[in-house]
Amino acid sequence: MELIQHIQNHFRIPLDEVAKVAALFQPSQLKKEAFYSKKGAYCSQLSFLQKGHIRIFDQQGDKEITQWIAGPGQLITDLRSFVFQHPSRWQMQCLDEVELFSIDRKNFESLHQLVPNWAQIEKEFISDCFITLENRVFSHLTMSAEERYLHFYNYNPELFTSVPQQYLASMLGMTPETFSRIRKKIVLS
C-alpha cells in the first residue's frame, strides 16, 4: 500500500510502528467537484491522496486564486485549521475522482501514545511544510514567470497533463495567457 510506503519514507517511523499508524487512516472516495474542505469550516482530517487531485484555492471577488494542487502520493489538509482548530481559509475541491486515506484529529493526537518519538516526527513534518511554503514564496519573489514554470514543471510534470492550465497559471502567479505563451515557447525550443 502506498500509504505505508509514504509513512516509512517521509516520517522515518520504525517498521513495527508503521502498521499501527497506517491502521488509523480510513479509506474514502470523493467524486469530481466534491469538496474536501470548505472555507470557514473546520478541516478535521489529514489525508493521503492515493488517486486524483485536489485544488486548494480562494475566491477573491470574481477571481479564483489557486494556492496548491495536491496529487497522488501527497498529504493534504488545511494545517492551520487541523492543528489549531481555526476556520479554514481555503476551499479544497476535487478536480477528478479521488481516493484517499484520512486520519481524524482525535486519532492524529493519539499518535503520541503509539509512536514514542512522535513529537520529534511531527516537528519535522511541520518544518517540511514550512520549508515548502518558504520555497514557494522565494520562487515568486526571485524567479521570472518562465523560471517558475520550468522549476515547477521539473518537479511536477504529471500536473501539466492532468490539471487545467488556468489552475496551474494561477498557482504560479501568472495569467493564463502568460502561462500559454511560456508553454508554447518551451515546446517550440
Side-chain angles (χ1 to χ4, degrees):
M1 180 192 300
E2 288 182 41
L3 172 62
I4 290 173
Q5 192 67 42
H6 185 82
I7 292 169
Q8 285 177 309
N9 292 344
H10 290 84
F11 293 96
R12 296 187 301 274
I13 297 172
L15 197 53
D16 60 323
E17 296 169 355
V18 170
K20 293 178 194 174
V21 172
L24 296 176
F25 284 78
Q26 299 302 311
S28 63
Q29 297 180 334
L30 294 172
K31 295 191 180 297
K32 182 178 181 176
E33 298 183 8
F35 282 90
Y36 173 83
S37 179
K38 289 190 174 186
K39 184 175 181 173
Y42 292 91
C43 187
S44 61
Q45 60 189 0
L46 169 74
S47 300
F48 174 80
L49 266 72
Q50 180 78 26
K51 175 185 168 195
H53 298 89
I54 296 178
R55 179 172 75 114
I56 303 164
F57 68 100
D58 188 27
Q59 187 83 30
Q60 300 282 325
D62 62 346
K63 185 178 180 182
E64 289 183 354
I65 299 170
T66 300
Q67 190 262 355
W68 188 251
I69 298 168
Q74 294 183 332
L75 291 170
I76 186 167
T77 192
D78 180 319
L79 199 56
R80 180 176 173 261
S81 184
F82 182 71
V83 173
F84 298 109
Q85 298 180 323
H86 290 287
S88 180
R89 294 181 284 187
W90 305 101
Q91 302 275 66
M92 297 185 188
Q93 187 174 31
C94 300
L95 295 178
D96 42 25
E97 299 284 321
V98 169
E99 293 177 10
L100 34 85
F101 292 90
S102 302
I103 185 169
D104 63 27
R105 186 167 163 64
K106 180 181 173 193
N107 281 325
F108 185 81
E109 289 174 354
S110 76
L111 290 172
H112 290 281
Q113 285 82 39
L114 282 176
V115 181
N117 63 334
W118 183 253
Q120 180 62 32
I121 292 167
E122 186 176 36
K123 179 181 173 185
E124 289 174 15
F125 170 69
I126 301 292
S127 295
D128 284 345
C129 293
F130 181 77
I131 290 167
T132 299
L133 179 61
E134 194 175 56
N135 288 339
R136 289 203 54 224
V137 169
F138 182 77
S139 74
H140 279 309
L141 294 174
T142 63
M143 293 180 178
S144 68
E146 186 172 333
E147 289 169 331
R148 285 193 310 273
Y149 178 103
L150 288 168
H151 180 78
F152 190 73
Y153 179 82
N154 287 333
Y155 287 97
N156 304 281
E158 72 287 347
L159 288 180
F160 286 73
T161 57
S162 57
V163 171
Q165 288 184 22
Q166 73 264 24
Y167 300 154
L168 295 174
S170 176
M171 189 173 71
L172 293 171
M174 59 184 80
T175 65
E177 295 79 18
T178 299
F179 183 91
S180 206
R181 189 179 71 250
I182 292 169
R183 184 177 191 160
K184 186 177 181 180
K185 177 182 174 186
I186 290 168
V187 169
L188 293 176
S189 54

